[in-house]
Amino acid sequence: MSGRIPREFIDELLVRVDIVDLIDSHVPLKKTGNNFVARCPFHAEKTPSFSVNRKKQFFHCFGCGASGNAISFLMDFSHLDFVEAIEDLAGFVGVDVPRESTEYQPKQKKDDLNSLYALMDQVAAFYAEQLRTSDEGKKAVEYLKNRGVSGDCAGDFMLGYAPDEWKALASRFDQKLLLDAGLLVSKESGQPYDRFRGRIMFPIRDKRARIIGFGGRVLDDSLPKYLNSPETSLFHKGKEVYGLYELLEKNPKPQRILIVEGYMDVIALAQFGIHYAVAALGTAASQAHLDLLFRFSSELVFCFDGDKAGREAAWRAMESAFSSLKDGRQIRIMLLPQNHDPDSLVRKEGVDGFIGRMQTAETLSEYFFGHFSNELNLSEMEGRAQLVNKAKPYLEKLPESIFKEMMFARLKELSGWANLDVLENATTLAAKQDRKIARNRPQDGGRLSSARVAIALLVQNPRLAELIEQREIDWSGLEFSGATLFKNILQMIADKNPANAAVLMECYRDTAEEKPIKALALLDSQVADDKIEAVFCDSLDRLLTQARESALTGLLNKGKTEGLDAQEKELLRKMLTAKILVPNNRNS
């Protein structure tokens, strides 16, 4: 269904769902004190470090650092994108997902997605009919038979043939829709013409069975051999793979997914009962491709030709692969023998031989370090130094996980460099230091700072913003650690009026503040529920007093040394007046 999901619905959904019930339906939880715990579903562990808090509607793993609200859990656990997670969460609660139709949907017919999907179905049927009945189609059928493609397989993949004509589609279907679907090419001078001509056609279906684009292959050696649909409102080649729908029809939870280079590779393997192959659409496999495939299987196998071009393609895949790997995910690299593609190899060695090669293909770690071992002389100090410099940027792309730690350990072993602090990236070190400070070295002689307590309580209880509004605080000149974030949170609460911490956290998804907001939501200030308002007000008063005193001292000192401008003099006057009217009797 087209249209954007209203933000109000997302907020209401987070209020209606109980994160404990949601997670317990996927991972059995056990109550411990105020929280519910389990062994983390996102990394292997023997003792439970995964905690769910009903009051905060928040989960956190103290082992791997995974955290978030109900939407975040579904995205991570079921490998869903944001919209799919909303749809699943709505299904769990038992409500339908509304869509905004008037503001976000273009009015013209060419932008009507439903009309585009209907057109794609009609065009696919036309191509299939041309394959079966036209004289030109008979040549295409002969080509497919020579490649070993059966009629049943051609039907499963909806194969067709585009006539070698300039206006085969343009004369039969709505030209505006054809242009919007990428099936016509528009010329500045003259009428538009069919993009696909004289080619075997491969409809590309998304995982919901909708045709979103086409790929076309010539029958001879002319170039380009393969031609894909351009980017359209339906088709985004960086996010879709060929054969995924057909794969899921055979097995929705395959043990592994094989990533091959072309349409015919997918179809040829399917002929031999290997129904778990997909192909990237005229581009290298991206992180979006891999994250999509990891939703359905925990093991991906890259299959490349064994020639120089294949080896280079395998290495280019490393960038996306490293960014997608989390604990529980595995990638293997399968390089084929020289002068073989998947079709020829499975015919030569048989299905068992092909599968055997796939099962024993190098793991990502073996392939990665083997590449450098072959390229560099690790018996020399210079070679080992190059190893660190070349491997380190890839390892830093890995998400925080046990696998990342083991990869760094392997790098240290091969390089002989024992200083972990040098190898770990600055972000990881900073994150570890922040956690260490938060847990083990609180400020103020063993207590959390007033600012930290006030901001954390505000994040965990957005309703506390009302107490700040009642005070009509003048923020002029007040600066303290966390002031920018504090003001940002207050503004967000004023704008969005979040009902709880989970809704507030959702407001910060994919923003620069998301990480500190999560950390504050997690912080245990050890305040009883009936004391929250009192502790918040006390912390706020201390914070404001300290900030005013600091600002006042700064202005007085500047006045003695440099002098103050008119604005600073007015601010100083206000602060001195406020200090006289409301003397500070707190021990700050």
Side-chain angles (χ1 to χ4, degrees):
M1 182 185 296
S2 59
R4 185 175 178 178
I5 301 174
R7 166 56 61 181
E8 294 78 8
F9 173 77
I10 297 172
D11 294 346
E12 180 184 347
L13 196 59
L14 287 169
V15 173
R16 294 184 62 170
V17 74
D18 185 333
I19 195 170
V20 172
D21 293 340
L22 173 71
I23 294 180
D24 189 53
S25 69
H26 295 84
V27 181
L29 298 173
K30 180 179 180 181
K31 196 171 191 308
T32 301
N34 293 326
N35 296 327
F36 294 79
V37 300
R39 284 198 289 270
C40 181
F42 305 121
H43 80 285
E45 61 178 7
K46 295 182 179 179
T47 57
S49 60
F50 182 80
S51 176
V52 186
N53 185 290
R54 175 168 272 153
K55 178 176 178 290
K56 298 178 183 178
Q57 290 294 299
F58 185 78
F59 75 88
H60 180 77
C61 176
F62 293 93
C64 68
S67 62
N69 57 18
I71 297 172
S72 303
F73 176 80
L74 285 177
M75 290 178 69
D76 291 343
F77 184 84
S78 300
H79 310 301
L80 305 176
D81 62 31
F82 180 79
V83 172
E84 291 169 334
I86 295 296
E87 292 171 344
D88 272 25
L89 194 59
F92 180 79
V93 175
V95 297
D96 294 327
V97 179
R99 303 280 179 159
E100 294 173 340
S101 57
T102 57
E103 181 177 355
Y104 295 98
Q105 277 191 345
K107 297 178 181 180
Q108 296 181 6
K109 184 178 180 181
K110 67 178 182 179
D111 293 321
D112 184 341
L113 296 183
N114 291 329
S115 296
L116 286 177
Y117 285 126
L119 171 72
M120 299 298 266
D121 284 339
Q122 294 166 8
V123 171
F126 169 73
Y127 285 150
E129 180 67 19
Q130 291 296 304
L131 180 67
R132 291 193 301 267
T133 63
S134 71
D135 291 337
E136 288 184 58
K138 292 177 182 178
K139 297 179 182 178
V141 170
E142 190 65 26
Y143 171 87
L144 291 172
K145 285 182 177 179
N146 291 336
R147 293 292 300 265
V149 179
S150 68
D152 288 341
C153 192
D156 288 343
F157 285 89
M158 298 181 66
L159 301 188
Y161 178 75
D164 193 9
E165 303 173 15
W166 291 98
K167 294 186 178 182
L169 297 184
S171 62
R172 290 174 170 83
F173 303 102
D174 185 291
Q175 288 195 13
K176 290 183 178 180
L177 285 177
L178 288 170
L179 283 166
D180 201 47
L183 295 171
L184 291 189
V185 177
S186 180
K187 293 181 65 175
E188 293 183 5
S189 58
Q191 294 296 316
Y193 58 89
D194 289 7
R195 180 178 301 274
F196 300 101
R197 304 179 307 280
R199 293 175 180 266
I200 295 174
M201 298 302 295
F202 303 83
I204 302 164
R205 289 184 277 189
D206 65 14
K207 58 183 180 294
R208 298 183 183 180
R210 301 174 300 193
I211 298 174
I212 55 177
F214 289 92
R217 191 197 191 285
V218 295
L219 299 178
D220 52 25
D221 295 327
S222 59
L223 297 176
K225 181 185 294 186
Y226 283 98
L227 182 65
N228 293 318
S229 288
E231 294 283 314
T232 69
S233 55
L234 300 184
F235 181 60
H236 307 284
K237 65 181 180 180
K239 297 181 179 179
E240 302 287 346
V241 294
Y242 178 73
L244 181 59
Y245 167 74
E246 291 81 3
L247 180 158
L248 297 176
E249 279 290 285
K250 297 292 184 180
N251 183 359
K253 288 290 182 181
Q255 181 179 351
R256 65 179 59 87
I257 295 177
L258 181 67
I259 304 173
V260 294
E261 295 190 66
Y263 304 109
M264 286 304 300
D265 294 328
V266 173
I267 293 173
L269 291 173
Q271 284 282 130
F272 287 88
I274 300 175
H275 296 289
Y276 43 86
V278 298
L281 299 166
T283 183
S286 67
Q287 183 178 346
H289 288 138
L290 303 189
D291 287 341
L292 170 67
L293 297 176
F294 271 128
R295 296 180 200 170
F296 309 104
S297 179
S298 61
E299 181 182 344
L300 305 183
V301 181
F302 283 101
C303 181
F304 294 101
D305 293 345
D307 56 15
K308 181 181 178 182
R311 293 193 301 272
E312 290 175 350
W315 188 250
R316 286 196 300 270
M318 292 299 100
E319 187 117 4
S320 300
F322 272 80
S323 300
S324 300
L325 276 180
K326 301 177 182 177
D327 283 332
R329 295 180 174 184
Q330 184 179 52
I331 289 178
R332 292 182 180 273
I333 307 297
M334 179 182 177
L335 291 178
L336 303 179
Q338 289 280 357
N339 302 318
H340 276 291
D341 59 20
D343 185 10
S344 63
L345 186 63
V346 75
R347 292 180 188 279
K348 177 183 178 182
E349 299 187 352
V351 173
D352 291 342
F354 186 90
I355 292 176
R357 279 183 178 271
M358 184 168 47
Q359 291 174 337
T360 58
E362 286 187 301
T363 62
L364 180 71
S365 58
E366 292 171 337
Y367 176 80
F368 180 75
F369 287 116
H371 170 85
F372 288 121
S373 297
N374 293 330
E375 181 184 78
L376 304 172
N377 186 352
L378 299 185
S379 65
E380 297 177 348
M381 183 183 300
E382 289 80 358
R384 295 195 296 274
Q386 289 184 59
L387 169 65
V388 173
N389 290 329
K390 291 187 175 185
K392 182 171 171 279
Y394 287 94
L395 301 191
E396 288 176 344
K397 295 179 183 296
L398 288 168
E400 294 304 315
S401 61
I402 294 174
F403 179 71
K404 181 174 184 176
E405 294 177 10
M406 295 177 70
M407 289 291 280
F408 267 111
R410 179 59 175 154
L411 178 56
K412 288 191 296 177
E413 179 184 345
L414 288 173
S415 66
W417 188 257
N419 190 345
L420 177 62
D421 290 343
V422 173
L423 293 179
E424 287 186 302
N425 65 71
T427 302
T428 302
L429 289 174
K432 290 184 176 180
Q433 187 66 16
D434 287 345
R435 290 195 294 269
K436 181 178 180 181
I437 292 173
R439 295 178 188 175
N440 302 324
R441 298 198 302 128
Q443 303 173 21
D444 296 343
R447 294 180 291 110
L448 294 168
S449 69
S450 298
R452 198 168 180 83
V453 171
I455 302 175
L457 288 176
L458 180 62
V459 169
Q460 296 167 17
N461 307 273
R463 59 182 174 78
L464 293 175
E466 298 175 1
L467 301 178
I468 299 177
E469 293 174 2
Q470 295 169 9
R471 291 166 179 251
E472 298 183 352
I473 298 169
D474 182 3
W475 296 95
S476 302
L478 297 184
E479 294 298 334
F480 52 88
S481 177
T484 302
L485 182 60
F486 196 9
K487 295 173 187 177
N488 183 291
I489 295 168
L490 285 174
Q491 188 62 52
M492 184 67 77
I493 294 174
D495 292 343
K496 304 297 184 181
N497 191 29
N500 57 28
V503 177
L504 177 61
M505 196 183 311
E506 191 58 40
C507 295
Y508 284 98
R509 182 179 294 279
D510 296 329
T511 67
E513 296 81 14
E514 181 178 16
K515 186 175 180 179
I517 292 295
K518 283 187 174 182
L520 290 165
L522 172 67
L523 186 68
D524 184 3
S525 55
Q526 299 182 339
V527 179
D529 289 350
D530 60 346
K531 302 291 184 182
I532 288 176
E533 289 192 11
V535 171
F536 176 74
C537 290
D538 182 69
S539 297
L540 183 64
D541 287 343
R542 288 177 178 273
L543 172 62
L544 296 176
T545 298
Q546 292 165 359
R548 290 192 188 101
E549 291 291 342
S550 177
L552 181 59
T553 300
L555 287 172
L556 289 172
N557 290 336
K558 185 178 181 183
K560 293 177 182 178
T561 58
E562 305 174 28
L564 303 177
D565 59 26
Q567 185 176 0
E568 290 171 331
K569 289 178 180 178
E570 177 61 21
L571 180 59
L572 177 59
R573 186 190 65 78
K574 287 182 178 180
M575 286 187 170
L576 289 173
T577 302
K579 187 173 180 63
I580 294 172
L581 294 176
V582 186
N584 177 24
N585 58 4
R586 292 184 180 274
N587 296 320
S588 59

